[in-house]
Amino acid sequence: MVKIVVIGSSSMDLVVTSDQRPGAGETVLGRSFKTVPGGKGANQAVAAARLGAEVYMIGCVGDDHYGTAILENFKQNGVDVTNVEPITDTESGTAHIILAEGDNSIVVVKGANDSVTPHYVKKSESLIKQADMVLIQQEIPEETVEYVSELCKELDVPLLLNPAPARPLSKEVIDSASYITPNEHEAAVLFDDRSTESALKQYPNKVFITEGKNGARYFDGDKEITVPSYRVEVIDTTGAGDTFNAALAVALAEGKSITESLQFANRAASLSVTKFGAQGGMPNRSEVEECL
Ligand code: RIB
């Protein structure tokens, strides 16, 4: 069983389903409202655990009822929460999601996720040292992503950086990470001075650009390769990227080839969109293997 350490956000998703998305100054009637666990870090931790990894979460929650529910959800999914602390007088992170017209729009309020500082993460250095793969995203402070990328390089632990949501990254961070998985929008922010083709060429077998239902692209040192995804009936795309990243981390940590790992990740992500909620459709290992 591979050991995955996830450093990132844990939130509660407040999800409104509606036929249409309101424009500025407009009010529309929604169909339903649901509260479900989310946050990119937590989603990736839960997805990796369902795929059979031993998963340790490093993060923060608020001292509110969402925080209690988030911790309970981790435990139910077999994620170790020894390194997830409730922060006094602080709200848990929340994501305010509208599902309309076949896609989602999300506003994230970081809350306690802002307390995942370099100083906080440093306390778990001995755990990070033992990881087969560290997974990180960007719903936590920028300096933490910088610190973790340096730390993983120093400790020689592979780091998979999911640069979501988009924000620019220094060349040092990009160079230190072992794998980077932007979607097309995030790739344009990361590599704003060049085309995605040249960015892929500059980082062979390291940068994987995800393109939703079209799969994922990378450069293998010789040519650009697209690993296609799978056609499914889409209910909710929230969390598909997180499932992809978790599955990719698990497969690479297990020693699968890059192509096999991307197929595994595409398969897991395609299953995740067939049910409601970021974590609702995240598959377990046997579901992915049966489909492959
Ligand atoms: O990646 C999906 C996640 O992004 C949601 O669960 C929501 O919490 C937002 O942060």
Side-chain angles (χ1 to χ4, degrees), residues 9-14 36-41 43-44 93-97 104 106-109 139 162 164-165 237-243 277-279 282:
S9 58
S10 316
S11 302
M12 198 50 90
D13 288 356
L14 281 53
V36 288
K40 293 186 191 302
N43 291 343
Q44 294 181 16
T94 47
H96 305 259
I97 303 181
N104 61 30
I106 308 182
V107 176
V108 170
V109 180
E139 288 180 333
N162 172 216
T237 57
T238 314
D242 298 327
T243 310
Q279 298 176 15
M282 283 174 178

PDB file of all heavy atoms in Angstrom, residues 9-14 36-41 43-44 93-97 104 106-109 139 162 164-165 237-243 277-279 282, ligand 1:
ATOM      1  N   SER A   9      -6.494  22.000   1.465  1.00  0.00           N
ATOM      2  CA  SER A   9      -7.735  22.548   2.018  1.00  0.00           C
ATOM      3  C   SER A   9      -8.751  21.462   2.346  1.00  0.00           C
ATOM      4  O   SER A   9      -8.780  20.413   1.703  1.00  0.00           O
ATOM      5  CB  SER A   9      -8.355  23.485   0.989  1.00  0.00           C
ATOM      6  OG  SER A   9      -8.595  22.769  -0.214  1.00  0.00           O
ATOM      7  N   SER A  10      -9.561  21.753   3.350  1.00  0.00           N
ATOM      8  CA  SER A  10     -10.721  20.911   3.680  1.00  0.00           C
ATOM      9  C   SER A  10     -11.873  21.893   3.848  1.00  0.00           C
ATOM     10  O   SER A  10     -11.757  22.825   4.648  1.00  0.00           O
ATOM     11  CB  SER A  10     -10.532  20.210   5.016  1.00  0.00           C
ATOM     12  OG  SER A  10      -9.244  19.678   5.129  1.00  0.00           O
ATOM     13  N   SER A  11     -12.953  21.691   3.115  1.00  0.00           N
ATOM     14  CA  SER A  11     -14.048  22.671   3.169  1.00  0.00           C
ATOM     15  C   SER A  11     -15.398  21.980   3.198  1.00  0.00           C
ATOM     16  O   SER A  11     -15.491  20.764   3.052  1.00  0.00           O
ATOM     17  CB  SER A  11     -13.997  23.577   1.926  1.00  0.00           C
ATOM     18  OG  SER A  11     -12.769  24.236   1.845  1.00  0.00           O
ATOM     19  N   MET A  12     -16.425  22.784   3.363  1.00  0.00           N
ATOM     20  CA  MET A  12     -17.785  22.293   3.180  1.00  0.00           C
ATOM     21  C   MET A  12     -18.303  22.952   1.907  1.00  0.00           C
ATOM     22  O   MET A  12     -18.130  24.161   1.719  1.00  0.00           O
ATOM     23  CB  MET A  12     -18.630  22.678   4.396  1.00  0.00           C
ATOM     24  CG  MET A  12     -19.879  21.885   4.523  1.00  0.00           C
ATOM     25  SD  MET A  12     -19.681  20.094   4.423  1.00  0.00           S
ATOM     26  CE  MET A  12     -19.427  19.629   6.099  1.00  0.00           C
ATOM     27  N   ASP A  13     -18.875  22.147   1.025  1.00  0.00           N
ATOM     28  CA  ASP A  13     -19.437  22.673  -0.225  1.00  0.00           C
ATOM     29  C   ASP A  13     -20.927  22.951  -0.039  1.00  0.00           C
ATOM     30  O   ASP A  13     -21.691  22.055   0.357  1.00  0.00           O
ATOM     31  CB  ASP A  13     -19.259  21.652  -1.365  1.00  0.00           C
ATOM     32  CG  ASP A  13     -17.808  21.539  -1.818  1.00  0.00           C
ATOM     33  OD1 ASP A  13     -16.961  22.294  -1.310  1.00  0.00           O
ATOM     34  OD2 ASP A  13     -17.537  20.696  -2.695  1.00  0.00           O
ATOM     35  N   LEU A  14     -21.333  24.171  -0.328  1.00  0.00           N
ATOM     36  CA  LEU A  14     -22.744  24.587  -0.241  1.00  0.00           C
ATOM     37  C   LEU A  14     -23.251  24.690  -1.679  1.00  0.00           C
ATOM     38  O   LEU A  14     -22.904  25.625  -2.398  1.00  0.00           O
ATOM     39  CB  LEU A  14     -22.842  25.943   0.470  1.00  0.00           C
ATOM     40  CG  LEU A  14     -22.740  25.930   2.014  1.00  0.00           C
ATOM     41  CD1 LEU A  14     -21.521  25.203   2.524  1.00  0.00           C
ATOM     42  CD2 LEU A  14     -22.723  27.352   2.553  1.00  0.00           C
ATOM     43  N   VAL A  36     -22.298  19.347   1.266  1.00  0.00           N
ATOM     44  CA  VAL A  36     -21.511  18.097   1.165  1.00  0.00           C
ATOM     45  C   VAL A  36     -20.025  18.409   1.379  1.00  0.00           C
ATOM     46  O   VAL A  36     -19.585  19.522   1.106  1.00  0.00           O
ATOM     47  CB  VAL A  36     -21.690  17.415  -0.229  1.00  0.00           C
ATOM     48  CG1 VAL A  36     -23.058  16.805  -0.380  1.00  0.00           C
ATOM     49  CG2 VAL A  36     -21.408  18.384  -1.371  1.00  0.00           C
ATOM     50  N   PRO A  37     -19.244  17.438   1.848  1.00  0.00           N
ATOM     51  CA  PRO A  37     -17.811  17.693   2.078  1.00  0.00           C
ATOM     52  C   PRO A  37     -17.069  17.976   0.778  1.00  0.00           C
ATOM     53  O   PRO A  37     -17.373  17.375  -0.256  1.00  0.00           O
ATOM     54  CB  PRO A  37     -17.300  16.388   2.706  1.00  0.00           C
ATOM     55  CG  PRO A  37     -18.505  15.631   3.109  1.00  0.00           C
ATOM     56  CD  PRO A  37     -19.622  16.075   2.236  1.00  0.00           C
ATOM     57  N   GLY A  38     -16.113  18.902   0.845  1.00  0.00           N
ATOM     58  CA  GLY A  38     -15.324  19.241  -0.336  1.00  0.00           C
ATOM     59  C   GLY A  38     -14.002  19.865   0.062  1.00  0.00           C
ATOM     60  O   GLY A  38     -13.477  19.602   1.147  1.00  0.00           O
ATOM     61  N   GLY A  39     -13.496  20.731  -0.804  1.00  0.00           N
ATOM     62  CA  GLY A  39     -12.149  21.291  -0.622  1.00  0.00           C
ATOM     63  C   GLY A  39     -11.193  20.431  -1.421  1.00  0.00           C
ATOM     64  O   GLY A  39     -11.248  19.197  -1.335  1.00  0.00           O
ATOM     65  N   LYS A  40     -10.345  21.079  -2.216  1.00  0.00           N
ATOM     66  CA  LYS A  40      -9.498  20.294  -3.129  1.00  0.00           C
ATOM     67  C   LYS A  40      -8.597  19.308  -2.388  1.00  0.00           C
ATOM     68  O   LYS A  40      -8.420  18.168  -2.824  1.00  0.00           O
ATOM     69  CB  LYS A  40      -8.668  21.235  -3.996  1.00  0.00           C
ATOM     70  CG  LYS A  40      -9.547  22.019  -4.947  1.00  0.00           C
ATOM     71  CD  LYS A  40      -8.755  22.850  -5.918  1.00  0.00           C
ATOM     72  CE  LYS A  40      -9.648  23.816  -6.663  1.00  0.00           C
ATOM     73  NZ  LYS A  40     -10.733  23.192  -7.422  1.00  0.00           N
ATOM     74  N   GLY A  41      -8.028  19.734  -1.267  1.00  0.00           N
ATOM     75  CA  GLY A  41      -7.140  18.832  -0.519  1.00  0.00           C
ATOM     76  C   GLY A  41      -7.907  17.637   0.001  1.00  0.00           C
ATOM     77  O   GLY A  41      -7.505  16.473  -0.191  1.00  0.00           O
ATOM     78  N   ASN A  43     -10.778  16.458  -0.941  1.00  0.00           N
ATOM     79  CA  ASN A  43     -11.274  15.609  -2.033  1.00  0.00           C
ATOM     80  C   ASN A  43     -10.174  14.667  -2.517  1.00  0.00           C
ATOM     81  O   ASN A  43     -10.406  13.480  -2.768  1.00  0.00           O
ATOM     82  CB  ASN A  43     -11.732  16.466  -3.219  1.00  0.00           C
ATOM     83  CG  ASN A  43     -12.988  17.272  -2.916  1.00  0.00           C
ATOM     84  OD1 ASN A  43     -13.695  16.980  -1.969  1.00  0.00           O
ATOM     85  ND2 ASN A  43     -13.249  18.286  -3.721  1.00  0.00           N
ATOM     86  N   GLN A  44      -8.966  15.195  -2.647  1.00  0.00           N
ATOM     87  CA  GLN A  44      -7.862  14.358  -3.152  1.00  0.00           C
ATOM     88  C   GLN A  44      -7.498  13.282  -2.127  1.00  0.00           C
ATOM     89  O   GLN A  44      -7.177  12.147  -2.487  1.00  0.00           O
ATOM     90  CB  GLN A  44      -6.672  15.242  -3.532  1.00  0.00           C
ATOM     91  CG  GLN A  44      -7.036  16.131  -4.722  1.00  0.00           C
ATOM     92  CD  GLN A  44      -5.933  17.038  -5.223  1.00  0.00           C
ATOM     93  OE1 GLN A  44      -4.761  16.855  -4.912  1.00  0.00           O
ATOM     94  NE2 GLN A  44      -6.312  18.024  -6.023  1.00  0.00           N
ATOM     95  N   GLY A  93     -13.363  26.338   6.041  1.00  0.00           N
ATOM     96  CA  GLY A  93     -13.431  26.773   4.655  1.00  0.00           C
ATOM     97  C   GLY A  93     -14.783  26.382   4.057  1.00  0.00           C
ATOM     98  O   GLY A  93     -15.346  25.341   4.418  1.00  0.00           O
ATOM     99  N   THR A  94     -15.291  27.222   3.176  1.00  0.00           N
ATOM    100  CA  THR A  94     -16.550  26.890   2.488  1.00  0.00           C
ATOM    101  C   THR A  94     -16.391  27.166   0.994  1.00  0.00           C
ATOM    102  O   THR A  94     -15.639  28.059   0.594  1.00  0.00           O
ATOM    103  CB  THR A  94     -17.741  27.725   3.018  1.00  0.00           C
ATOM    104  OG1 THR A  94     -17.355  29.096   3.088  1.00  0.00           O
ATOM    105  CG2 THR A  94     -18.211  27.251   4.372  1.00  0.00           C
ATOM    106  N   ALA A  95     -17.106  26.380   0.196  1.00  0.00           N
ATOM    107  CA  ALA A  95     -17.138  26.628  -1.253  1.00  0.00           C
ATOM    108  C   ALA A  95     -18.592  26.802  -1.623  1.00  0.00           C
ATOM    109  O   ALA A  95     -19.441  25.967  -1.274  1.00  0.00           O
ATOM    110  CB  ALA A  95     -16.520  25.463  -2.003  1.00  0.00           C
ATOM    111  N   HIS A  96     -18.889  27.886  -2.296  1.00  0.00           N
ATOM    112  CA  HIS A  96     -20.262  28.257  -2.644  1.00  0.00           C
ATOM    113  C   HIS A  96     -20.436  27.956  -4.131  1.00  0.00           C
ATOM    114  O   HIS A  96     -19.839  28.626  -4.973  1.00  0.00           O
ATOM    115  CB  HIS A  96     -20.494  29.722  -2.279  1.00  0.00           C
ATOM    116  CG  HIS A  96     -20.167  29.954  -0.828  1.00  0.00           C
ATOM    117  ND1 HIS A  96     -21.122  30.045   0.131  1.00  0.00           N
ATOM    118  CD2 HIS A  96     -18.964  30.008  -0.193  1.00  0.00           C
ATOM    119  CE1 HIS A  96     -20.526  30.169   1.314  1.00  0.00           C
ATOM    120  NE2 HIS A  96     -19.218  30.143   1.142  1.00  0.00           N
ATOM    121  N   ILE A  97     -21.182  26.884  -4.391  1.00  0.00           N
ATOM    122  CA  ILE A  97     -21.186  26.299  -5.741  1.00  0.00           C
ATOM    123  C   ILE A  97     -22.560  26.442  -6.388  1.00  0.00           C
ATOM    124  O   ILE A  97     -23.581  26.159  -5.755  1.00  0.00           O
ATOM    125  CB  ILE A  97     -20.794  24.797  -5.670  1.00  0.00           C
ATOM    126  CG1 ILE A  97     -19.414  24.665  -4.987  1.00  0.00           C
ATOM    127  CG2 ILE A  97     -20.806  24.155  -7.050  1.00  0.00           C
ATOM    128  CD1 ILE A  97     -18.902  23.241  -4.867  1.00  0.00           C
ATOM    129  N   ASN A 104     -20.216  23.973 -13.316  1.00  0.00           N
ATOM    130  CA  ASN A 104     -20.273  24.611 -11.995  1.00  0.00           C
ATOM    131  C   ASN A 104     -19.582  25.974 -11.996  1.00  0.00           C
ATOM    132  O   ASN A 104     -18.738  26.247 -12.844  1.00  0.00           O
ATOM    133  CB  ASN A 104     -19.664  23.684 -10.927  1.00  0.00           C
ATOM    134  CG  ASN A 104     -18.199  23.358 -11.185  1.00  0.00           C
ATOM    135  OD1 ASN A 104     -17.474  24.156 -11.764  1.00  0.00           O
ATOM    136  ND2 ASN A 104     -17.764  22.196 -10.771  1.00  0.00           N
ATOM    137  N   ILE A 106     -17.781  28.384  -8.836  1.00  0.00           N
ATOM    138  CA  ILE A 106     -17.435  28.204  -7.417  1.00  0.00           C
ATOM    139  C   ILE A 106     -16.779  29.463  -6.853  1.00  0.00           C
ATOM    140  O   ILE A 106     -15.861  30.020  -7.467  1.00  0.00           O
ATOM    141  CB  ILE A 106     -16.458  27.009  -7.237  1.00  0.00           C
ATOM    142  CG1 ILE A 106     -17.003  25.749  -7.932  1.00  0.00           C
ATOM    143  CG2 ILE A 106     -16.184  26.754  -5.765  1.00  0.00           C
ATOM    144  CD1 ILE A 106     -16.150  24.506  -7.773  1.00  0.00           C
ATOM    145  N   VAL A 107     -17.253  29.886  -5.672  1.00  0.00           N
ATOM    146  CA  VAL A 107     -16.532  30.912  -4.904  1.00  0.00           C
ATOM    147  C   VAL A 107     -16.047  30.230  -3.630  1.00  0.00           C
ATOM    148  O   VAL A 107     -16.846  29.653  -2.890  1.00  0.00           O
ATOM    149  CB  VAL A 107     -17.453  32.093  -4.517  1.00  0.00           C
ATOM    150  CG1 VAL A 107     -16.691  33.087  -3.634  1.00  0.00           C
ATOM    151  CG2 VAL A 107     -17.990  32.794  -5.755  1.00  0.00           C
ATOM    152  N   VAL A 108     -14.732  30.268  -3.387  1.00  0.00           N
ATOM    153  CA  VAL A 108     -14.170  29.626  -2.197  1.00  0.00           C
ATOM    154  C   VAL A 108     -13.846  30.687  -1.152  1.00  0.00           C
ATOM    155  O   VAL A 108     -13.224  31.701  -1.465  1.00  0.00           O
ATOM    156  CB  VAL A 108     -12.888  28.842  -2.572  1.00  0.00           C
ATOM    157  CG1 VAL A 108     -12.155  28.361  -1.318  1.00  0.00           C
ATOM    158  CG2 VAL A 108     -13.232  27.658  -3.455  1.00  0.00           C
ATOM    159  N   VAL A 109     -14.270  30.446   0.095  1.00  0.00           N
ATOM    160  CA  VAL A 109     -13.846  31.290   1.218  1.00  0.00           C
ATOM    161  C   VAL A 109     -12.913  30.411   2.050  1.00  0.00           C
ATOM    162  O   VAL A 109     -13.343  29.387   2.594  1.00  0.00           O
ATOM    163  CB  VAL A 109     -15.068  31.767   2.044  1.00  0.00           C
ATOM    164  CG1 VAL A 109     -14.603  32.646   3.200  1.00  0.00           C
ATOM    165  CG2 VAL A 109     -16.048  32.529   1.153  1.00  0.00           C
ATOM    166  N   GLU A 139      -5.413  26.036  -2.508  1.00  0.00           N
ATOM    167  CA  GLU A 139      -6.428  26.707  -1.682  1.00  0.00           C
ATOM    168  C   GLU A 139      -5.857  26.984  -0.288  1.00  0.00           C
ATOM    169  O   GLU A 139      -6.599  27.167   0.668  1.00  0.00           O
ATOM    170  CB  GLU A 139      -7.689  25.850  -1.589  1.00  0.00           C
ATOM    171  CG  GLU A 139      -8.477  25.825  -2.899  1.00  0.00           C
ATOM    172  CD  GLU A 139      -9.733  24.981  -2.845  1.00  0.00           C
ATOM    173  OE1 GLU A 139      -9.788  24.020  -2.035  1.00  0.00           O
ATOM    174  OE2 GLU A 139     -10.652  25.256  -3.623  1.00  0.00           O
ATOM    175  N   ASN A 162      -0.859  20.212  -7.911  1.00  0.00           N
ATOM    176  CA  ASN A 162      -2.060  20.505  -8.706  1.00  0.00           C
ATOM    177  C   ASN A 162      -2.295  22.015  -8.576  1.00  0.00           C
ATOM    178  O   ASN A 162      -2.759  22.476  -7.538  1.00  0.00           O
ATOM    179  CB  ASN A 162      -3.231  19.686  -8.134  1.00  0.00           C
ATOM    180  CG  ASN A 162      -4.560  20.060  -8.743  1.00  0.00           C
ATOM    181  OD1 ASN A 162      -5.581  20.069  -8.073  1.00  0.00           O
ATOM    182  ND2 ASN A 162      -4.570  20.358 -10.018  1.00  0.00           N
ATOM    183  N   ALA A 164      -4.268  24.391  -8.742  1.00  0.00           N
ATOM    184  CA  ALA A 164      -5.662  24.852  -8.776  1.00  0.00           C
ATOM    185  C   ALA A 164      -6.070  25.371  -7.398  1.00  0.00           C
ATOM    186  O   ALA A 164      -5.729  24.746  -6.398  1.00  0.00           O
ATOM    187  CB  ALA A 164      -6.573  23.681  -9.171  1.00  0.00           C
ATOM    188  N   PRO A 165      -6.798  26.515  -7.315  1.00  0.00           N
ATOM    189  CA  PRO A 165      -7.130  27.380  -8.444  1.00  0.00           C
ATOM    190  C   PRO A 165      -5.880  28.090  -8.973  1.00  0.00           C
ATOM    191  O   PRO A 165      -4.841  28.131  -8.306  1.00  0.00           O
ATOM    192  CB  PRO A 165      -8.122  28.384  -7.841  1.00  0.00           C
ATOM    193  CG  PRO A 165      -8.001  28.266  -6.369  1.00  0.00           C
ATOM    194  CD  PRO A 165      -7.354  26.986  -6.032  1.00  0.00           C
ATOM    195  N   THR A 237     -19.564  17.680 -12.480  1.00  0.00           N
ATOM    196  CA  THR A 237     -18.111  17.606 -12.737  1.00  0.00           C
ATOM    197  C   THR A 237     -17.275  18.056 -11.526  1.00  0.00           C
ATOM    198  O   THR A 237     -16.050  17.926 -11.546  1.00  0.00           O
ATOM    199  CB  THR A 237     -17.722  18.503 -13.936  1.00  0.00           C
ATOM    200  OG1 THR A 237     -18.142  19.851 -13.650  1.00  0.00           O
ATOM    201  CG2 THR A 237     -18.348  18.034 -15.235  1.00  0.00           C
ATOM    202  N   THR A 238     -17.933  18.542 -10.472  1.00  0.00           N
ATOM    203  CA  THR A 238     -17.173  19.012  -9.296  1.00  0.00           C
ATOM    204  C   THR A 238     -16.351  17.853  -8.719  1.00  0.00           C
ATOM    205  O   THR A 238     -16.890  16.778  -8.470  1.00  0.00           O
ATOM    206  CB  THR A 238     -18.134  19.546  -8.205  1.00  0.00           C
ATOM    207  OG1 THR A 238     -19.109  20.387  -8.815  1.00  0.00           O
ATOM    208  CG2 THR A 238     -17.375  20.302  -7.131  1.00  0.00           C
ATOM    209  N   GLY A 239     -15.057  18.080  -8.511  1.00  0.00           N
ATOM    210  CA  GLY A 239     -14.219  17.044  -7.910  1.00  0.00           C
ATOM    211  C   GLY A 239     -13.577  16.106  -8.923  1.00  0.00           C
ATOM    212  O   GLY A 239     -12.771  15.244  -8.553  1.00  0.00           O
ATOM    213  N   ALA A 240     -13.893  16.274 -10.219  1.00  0.00           N
ATOM    214  CA  ALA A 240     -13.292  15.379 -11.222  1.00  0.00           C
ATOM    215  C   ALA A 240     -11.772  15.588 -11.279  1.00  0.00           C
ATOM    216  O   ALA A 240     -10.994  14.630 -11.338  1.00  0.00           O
ATOM    217  CB  ALA A 240     -13.911  15.643 -12.594  1.00  0.00           C
ATOM    218  N   GLY A 241     -11.360  16.855 -11.235  1.00  0.00           N
ATOM    219  CA  GLY A 241      -9.924  17.153 -11.250  1.00  0.00           C
ATOM    220  C   GLY A 241      -9.232  16.580 -10.020  1.00  0.00           C
ATOM    221  O   GLY A 241      -8.117  16.064 -10.099  1.00  0.00           O
ATOM    222  N   ASP A 242      -9.913  16.642  -8.885  1.00  0.00           N
ATOM    223  CA  ASP A 242      -9.313  16.106  -7.649  1.00  0.00           C
ATOM    224  C   ASP A 242      -9.171  14.587  -7.740  1.00  0.00           C
ATOM    225  O   ASP A 242      -8.159  14.020  -7.308  1.00  0.00           O
ATOM    226  CB  ASP A 242     -10.179  16.489  -6.446  1.00  0.00           C
ATOM    227  CG  ASP A 242     -10.250  17.999  -6.281  1.00  0.00           C
ATOM    228  OD1 ASP A 242      -9.254  18.670  -6.601  1.00  0.00           O
ATOM    229  OD2 ASP A 242     -11.302  18.504  -5.854  1.00  0.00           O
ATOM    230  N   THR A 243     -10.181  13.933  -8.302  1.00  0.00           N
ATOM    231  CA  THR A 243     -10.107  12.470  -8.458  1.00  0.00           C
ATOM    232  C   THR A 243      -8.956  12.121  -9.402  1.00  0.00           C
ATOM    233  O   THR A 243      -8.185  11.184  -9.142  1.00  0.00           O
ATOM    234  CB  THR A 243     -11.443  11.931  -9.022  1.00  0.00           C
ATOM    235  OG1 THR A 243     -12.504  12.460  -8.234  1.00  0.00           O
ATOM    236  CG2 THR A 243     -11.480  10.427  -9.003  1.00  0.00           C
ATOM    237  N   GLY A 277     -22.022  15.743  -6.258  1.00  0.00           N
ATOM    238  CA  GLY A 277     -21.112  16.100  -5.159  1.00  0.00           C
ATOM    239  C   GLY A 277     -19.671  15.805  -5.509  1.00  0.00           C
ATOM    240  O   GLY A 277     -19.384  14.888  -6.281  1.00  0.00           O
ATOM    241  N   ALA A 278     -18.765  16.604  -4.911  1.00  0.00           N
ATOM    242  CA  ALA A 278     -17.347  16.430  -5.217  1.00  0.00           C
ATOM    243  C   ALA A 278     -16.873  15.008  -4.898  1.00  0.00           C
ATOM    244  O   ALA A 278     -16.105  14.412  -5.636  1.00  0.00           O
ATOM    245  CB  ALA A 278     -16.526  17.446  -4.425  1.00  0.00           C
ATOM    246  N   GLN A 279     -17.362  14.463  -3.786  1.00  0.00           N
ATOM    247  CA  GLN A 279     -16.881  13.137  -3.373  1.00  0.00           C
ATOM    248  C   GLN A 279     -17.906  12.038  -3.661  1.00  0.00           C
ATOM    249  O   GLN A 279     -17.599  10.853  -3.519  1.00  0.00           O
ATOM    250  CB  GLN A 279     -16.537  13.159  -1.879  1.00  0.00           C
ATOM    251  CG  GLN A 279     -15.417  14.151  -1.561  1.00  0.00           C
ATOM    252  CD  GLN A 279     -15.113  14.265  -0.075  1.00  0.00           C
ATOM    253  OE1 GLN A 279     -15.531  13.430   0.728  1.00  0.00           O
ATOM    254  NE2 GLN A 279     -14.369  15.292   0.300  1.00  0.00           N
ATOM    255  N   MET A 282     -16.728   9.570  -6.376  1.00  0.00           N
ATOM    256  CA  MET A 282     -15.337   9.087  -6.369  1.00  0.00           C
ATOM    257  C   MET A 282     -15.323   7.571  -6.223  1.00  0.00           C
ATOM    258  O   MET A 282     -15.880   7.040  -5.260  1.00  0.00           O
ATOM    259  CB  MET A 282     -14.561   9.722  -5.211  1.00  0.00           C
ATOM    260  CG  MET A 282     -14.170  11.139  -5.493  1.00  0.00           C
ATOM    261  SD  MET A 282     -13.415  11.897  -4.058  1.00  0.00           S
ATOM    262  CE  MET A 282     -13.047  13.500  -4.771  1.00  0.00           C
TER     263      MET A 282
HETATM  264  O1  RIB B   1     -12.176  20.849  -6.896  1.00  0.00           O
HETATM  265  C1  RIB B   1     -13.481  20.888  -6.405  1.00  0.00           C
HETATM  266  C2  RIB B   1     -13.516  21.617  -5.106  1.00  0.00           C
HETATM  267  O2  RIB B   1     -13.162  22.945  -5.334  1.00  0.00           O
HETATM  268  C3  RIB B   1     -14.867  21.664  -4.449  1.00  0.00           C
HETATM  269  O3  RIB B   1     -15.124  20.553  -3.625  1.00  0.00           O
HETATM  270  C4  RIB B   1     -14.842  22.960  -3.709  1.00  0.00           C
HETATM  271  O4  RIB B   1     -14.598  22.786  -2.355  1.00  0.00           O
HETATM  272  C5  RIB B   1     -13.748  23.776  -4.363  1.00  0.00           C
HETATM  273  O5  RIB B   1     -12.788  24.120  -3.505  1.00  0.00           O
END
